Amino acid sequence: MNEKNAQNRGVLFLSKENELSLQKIIIMSKNSLHTPSVIAQLQQQELLLRMEYDYEKETFRQQTEAMGIGRKVKRGMCWFPLSVGRSYYNSLNQLTVEVERREDKDIEHVFEFGKPVCFFTQDGSEKLHYFNFTATVNYVDEDRMVVILPGASALMDIQNAERLGVQLYFDETSYRLMFEALREVIKAKGNRLAELRDIFHGTQKTSTFRFGPTRFPWLNPTQEEAVNKVMTAKDVAIVHGPPGTGKTTTLVEAIYETLHRENQVLVCAQSNMAVDWISEKLVDRGVPVLRIGNPTRVNDKMLSFTYERRFEAHPDYPQLWSIRKAIRELHANSRKGASRENIRQKINSLKDRATELEIRINEALFSEARVISCTLVSSANRILMGQKFGTLFIDEAAQALEAACWIAIRKADRVVLAGDHCQLPPTIKCMEAMRGGLDKTLMQHIVHNKPEVVSLLKVQYRMNDEIMRFSSDWFYHGQLTSAPEVKYRSILDYDTPMVWVNTEGMDCNEEFVGESFGRINKQEAALCIEELKKYITKIGKERLLEERIDFGVISPYKAQVQYLRQLIKKDAFFKPFRPFITINTVDGFQGQERDVILISLVRANEDGQIGFLNDLRRMNVAITRARMKLIILGDASTLTKHPFYKKLFDYILQLT
């Protein structure tokens, strides 16, 4: 295998030293008789994270050099061309500028708060010229983005530029913070961080508080048990929430009860979307939340509890803003040759006053908030420097790298993790790092090492029982049950809740379109659209609009998703129903549900090669999004060579 092919397969060419270390890790992870020490396990994590970092950085470099603007735009990682709007200093005294994309507005992008970006121009010969600074996304709203710039010269560069564009940049900061956290955990001695490390990975036993259980009549028995287990845990508790079991409801209740005993808690998640979701639920419950970082969904409700908005709303902020403005003007005068010593003294005096005001505003904001919410990476924000919390809650913990969790754990005395390690795992791009065990999360380690701290939620409120049953049997040892109100839910009388449309022999052929986009099957996509049309017609257009019945179309492959979107956009039949139809990847559907779900599996070949579909956790997400109807399209002869899909195919056949 040559180097290029290896890179395409996610294989990093390692130094001899790293290669030997990796081999040792793989051997150790496979041999349960030789469990490495706690420190050795974390050192393994550090090495594997280094491999992932090196691979991702090299991949980014190659893509930046080789990939044209058109492909970057289609992948949602680039806006071109841009128009530059107003610039201003935000409440954190950061210079920001608004930019807006002028074309390709129908393409979903992957820009979000905290992501690093770089600007470029394109000359007449279509050659790209990158500016020598990086910027950071402050917030993004569909086609408009606010970007934090490093200084005034950067602003002048982009304001004077023609044919300007912006693209995602390699995220050095997140990796730096993860490495720092791992090193601190490894070195920890004689403190709470060292204790938590040894409890999570070692043989040190967990301890509990001794007080009686609390009744929560509005929760089911397993939810009630989970909340009580959280309340009595001194060190760690895990809320394991399979699809539709009310994990968020349970977590909100646990946070609410914790606040009866603690003044303030820290709530984190891997993604901004997950942080927004739990924050909004807490706000709805009447809990004062301070959101560090800007929300993904930019609306007044979400923005109102962000740190920036609260900071700007404080009575002392106008005075602080005036002082900051005066400092900037004095700096400008000092460059014009005015009396520098006199100006320097004035600046220092104003800075002291500004610092006093900032401290006063921060103290007021933090004293008012009962919950501080942010991503795991944002927990290292300078705003939270020196802050300690009795309890840290980590939502969607099964999607977070262990190193990312440690960033936030350093600030807490005890930890509550919520998620489902049978659904989406963390995103790992280096296959060798994955083989070494980088994808095994802290939640998984604790579930394996300390099963007594785990609470499994067992009653689901989303799916028809027959849709739920297969997932329950395969992933959760048949422990899930359906709430009576959803057990027999359906849209049509005498309807079969699950259907497999077998594309075998229908000339549905898969095509490879690139590493990031994977595969496409145009014939299957067309068939998927026809199945959607048929089901909408069966329901009836009037009823669909009146009852607002919604649909989701899922595919594991980005290329198939984009092609399906094009087909629906071009078809006049769907025009009245487009607000009720969502088309996305499996990852994009995490945490969501729809009345009707169609899944296009894409793979169709004689060898039974299914690639990405081997990740059964993703398929668990896909098949558990539907409330009432699930339609799967796929080539049975290809897919049923795998035991999971054979079992699923047979299960659906016996339903019909």
Side-chain angles (χ1 to χ4, degrees):
M1 181 170 64
N2 63 34
E3 183 169 339
K4 187 175 179 182
N5 287 336
Q7 291 281 6
N8 287 340
R9 288 169 171 81
V11 177
L12 179 70
F13 279 88
L14 308 171
S15 67
K16 283 289 182 187
E17 184 183 345
N18 276 359
E19 198 167 2
L20 289 170
S21 300
L22 178 61
Q23 288 170 4
K24 194 185 293 182
I25 291 169
I26 293 167
I27 291 166
M28 290 172 78
S29 66
K30 289 179 178 178
N31 191 347
S32 58
L33 297 173
H34 300 285
T35 304
S37 71
V38 172
I39 299 299
Q41 289 180 59
L42 291 165
Q43 287 171 335
Q44 291 168 14
Q45 284 284 317
E46 190 177 10
L47 175 61
L48 294 167
L49 188 65
R50 177 65 60 182
M51 292 174 184
E52 175 73 2
Y53 166 81
D54 289 342
Y55 176 76
E56 193 172 350
K57 191 171 183 179
E58 176 60 20
T59 303
F60 177 83
R61 185 191 65 78
Q62 290 181 3
Q63 286 181 345
T64 299
E65 291 176 359
M67 196 185 295
I69 285 181
R71 285 174 66 193
K72 291 175 186 175
V73 168
K74 283 182 180 177
R75 295 187 180 189
M77 58 185 288
C78 175
W79 286 0
F80 180 83
L82 286 181
S83 59
V84 180
R86 70 188 184 108
S87 60
Y88 57 93
Y89 284 87
N90 66 13
S91 57
L92 304 181
N93 206 29
Q94 298 163 320
L95 179 59
T96 64
V97 65
E98 292 182 356
V99 296
E100 187 173 350
R101 59 175 169 179
R102 301 208 303 262
E103 297 175 8
D104 303 298
K105 295 186 176 186
D106 57 329
I107 295 175
E108 287 194 20
H109 61 79
V110 291
F111 293 99
E112 63 174 54
F113 168 80
K115 294 284 187 184
V117 295
C118 56
F119 287 90
F120 62 87
T121 58
Q122 187 184 57
D123 62 23
S125 61
E126 299 194 349
K127 190 175 178 181
L128 301 186
H129 302 275
Y130 288 89
F131 293 108
N132 62 351
F133 64 85
T134 57
T136 308
V137 177
N138 197 35
Y139 70 82
V140 58
D141 181 13
E142 295 181 354
D143 304 313
R144 187 176 67 93
M145 183 157 56
V146 176
V147 179
I148 301 166
L149 298 174
S153 61
L155 177 63
M156 288 181 65
D157 285 344
I158 65 172
Q159 284 178 332
N160 296 327
E162 295 181 5
R163 294 174 61 77
L164 182 70
V166 65
Q167 70 171 65
L168 283 177
Y169 194 66
F170 180 68
D171 190 359
E172 292 272 5
T173 303
S174 296
Y175 278 106
R176 177 177 57 78
L177 292 170
M178 285 192 285
F179 283 125
E180 284 176 4
L182 275 178
R183 284 193 285 271
E184 188 175 335
V185 175
I186 289 167
K187 291 176 182 176
K189 286 182 183 177
N191 58 12
R192 185 56 174 158
L193 186 62
E195 287 178 354
L196 291 174
R197 175 195 67 201
D198 296 339
I199 290 167
F200 296 171
H201 281 288
T203 56
Q204 188 169 326
K205 295 195 179 298
T206 57
S207 50
T208 56
F209 297 108
R210 292 186 180 177
F211 46 77
T214 305
R215 288 295 325 280
F216 302 98
W218 51 94
L219 301 180
N220 68 49
T222 58
Q223 291 173 330
E224 186 178 280
E225 182 189 342
V227 174
N228 277 291
K229 195 170 266 189
V230 168
M231 300 315 301
T232 57
K234 274 188 180 178
D235 308 305
V236 62
I238 286 179
V239 179
H240 182 186
T245 54
K247 170 182 65 68
T248 302
T249 300
T250 307
L251 195 59
V252 167
E253 197 63 52
I255 294 167
Y256 195 79
E257 282 302 304
T258 302
L259 291 172
H260 290 156
R261 298 171 172 82
E262 299 175 23
N263 183 53
Q264 195 174 71
V265 300
L266 179 62
V267 177
C268 293
Q270 174 66 17
S271 69
N272 278 294
M273 192 176 291
V275 176
D276 292 345
W277 182 248
I278 190 76
S279 297
E280 193 168 359
K281 295 298 176 186
L282 287 163
V283 170
D284 289 343
R285 190 68 183 270
V287 177
V289 175
L290 187 63
R291 168 77 156 94
I292 308 299
N294 278 312
T296 304
R297 297 198 342 258
V298 183
N299 58 45
D300 287 340
K301 180 183 177 181
M302 298 293 288
L303 284 170
S304 64
F305 55 85
T306 61
Y307 175 85
E308 284 192 42
R309 281 290 177 94
R310 293 281 174 87
F311 197 96
E312 290 170 354
H314 193 274
D316 287 340
Y317 178 71
Q319 186 184 353
L320 177 60
W321 187 88
S322 298
I323 293 169
R324 286 171 171 174
K325 186 182 178 186
I327 292 171
R328 288 195 293 272
E329 288 172 351
L330 284 168
H331 273 298
N333 290 333
S334 70
R335 289 193 290 270
K336 293 175 183 175
S339 175
R340 292 193 178 183
E341 182 59 27
N342 186 36
I343 287 176
R344 188 181 63 81
Q345 289 177 358
K346 286 182 180 177
I347 287 173
N348 288 340
S349 175
L350 288 169
K351 279 183 175 178
D352 289 344
R353 180 59 181 149
T355 302
E356 286 175 21
L357 286 170
E358 281 183 46
I359 292 169
R360 194 158 76 195
I361 295 172
N362 276 333
E363 284 177 348
L365 296 184
F366 277 90
S367 65
E368 292 166 2
R370 303 295 308 279
V371 169
I372 308 299
S373 71
C374 58
T375 63
L376 291 164
V377 170
S378 293
S379 68
N381 194 301
R382 66 174 182 84
I383 298 163
L384 293 173
M385 199 172 292
Q387 295 280 345
K388 290 290 288 185
F389 301 88
T391 305
L392 162 68
F393 292 87
I394 302 178
D395 195 14
E396 300 295 359
Q399 288 182 258
L401 289 173
E402 176 171 349
C405 292
W406 285 114
I407 297 172
I409 293 171
R410 296 176 297 174
K411 294 184 176 294
D413 289 327
R414 72 179 193 129
V415 184
V416 178
L417 301 104
D420 182 10
H421 49 283
C422 302
Q423 294 189 65
L424 287 181
T427 302
I428 311 289
K429 295 180 180 176
C430 175
M431 294 299 107
E432 293 292 346
M434 187 182 290
R435 279 181 60 215
L438 186 61
D439 64 332
K440 192 169 184 181
T441 63
L442 182 62
M443 181 173 169
Q444 284 175 280
H445 282 295
I446 299 171
V447 167
H448 180 262
N449 201 30
K450 298 287 186 291
E452 68 276 8
V453 307
V454 181
S455 300
L456 176 67
L457 306 181
K458 297 180 181 179
V459 183
Q460 70 87 21
Y461 299 86
R462 175 185 297 165
M463 296 162 271
N464 177 291
D465 190 72
E466 289 180 342
I467 298 174
M468 179 274 296
R469 184 58 47 204
F470 180 83
S471 176
S472 174
D473 290 346
W474 186 278
F475 294 100
Y476 307 103
H477 310 289
Q479 295 183 81
L480 304 190
T481 59
S482 299
E485 60 266 34
V486 305
K487 191 169 184 176
Y488 302 109
R489 69 189 322 182
S490 64
I491 298 172
L492 301 170
D493 294 335
Y494 310 110
D495 197 12
T496 307
M498 296 177 78
V499 175
W500 186 305
V501 179
N502 186 6
T503 62
E504 185 181 350
M506 293 186 180
D507 291 326
C508 293
N509 304 309
E510 63 173 82
E511 301 170 49
F512 182 73
V513 292
E515 191 65 31
S516 298
F517 275 49
R519 312 258 164 184
I520 191 170
N521 190 323
K522 292 182 178 180
Q523 296 87 352
E524 185 176 287
L527 185 62
C528 182
I529 299 304
E530 286 306 309
E531 289 293 324
L532 179 58
K533 274 185 185 178
K534 279 195 299 190
Y535 204 71
I536 288 173
T537 305
K538 271 188 184 179
I539 297 168
K541 298 178 183 180
E542 293 77 15
R543 184 189 165 195
L544 190 154
L545 294 171
E546 185 181 333
E547 297 180 17
R548 303 182 71 83
I549 295 168
D550 52 10
F551 300 78
V553 183
I554 302 176
S555 180
Y557 297 99
K558 290 181 184 176
Q560 189 79 342
V561 166
Q562 290 204 358
Y563 188 67
L564 285 161
R565 284 175 181 162
Q566 289 172 19
L567 291 179
I568 285 195
K569 190 177 178 181
K570 290 175 184 175
D571 197 324
F573 175 89
F574 294 107
K575 192 173 181 180
F577 315 120
R578 282 175 195 155
F580 307 103
I581 302 171
T582 307
I583 308 167
N584 216 328
T585 59
V586 180
D587 294 49
F589 261 99
Q590 172 75 352
Q592 298 190 47
E593 58 188 75
R594 297 291 187 273
D595 295 321
V596 182
I597 290 287
L598 294 90
I599 305 173
S600 173
L601 295 175
V602 174
R603 302 309 297 263
N605 55 74
E606 293 178 359
D607 304 323
Q609 296 293 318
I610 60 172
F612 201 45
L613 301 189
N614 277 303
D615 190 341
L616 303 183
R617 290 173 295 183
R618 277 192 164 79
M619 289 314 302
N620 187 30
V621 174
I623 64 175
T624 56
R625 300 305 96 192
R627 300 187 192 105
M628 293 180 270
K629 181 77 172 184
L630 175 64
I631 302 170
I632 298 173
L633 296 96
D635 186 321
S637 64
T638 300
L639 292 154
T640 56
K641 289 183 172 66
H642 190 290
F644 172 86
Y645 296 97
K646 175 74 168 71
K647 189 91 173 178
L648 178 60
F649 184 73
D650 291 343
Y651 174 81
I652 293 172
L653 276 185
Q654 62 90 20
L655 294 178
T656 54

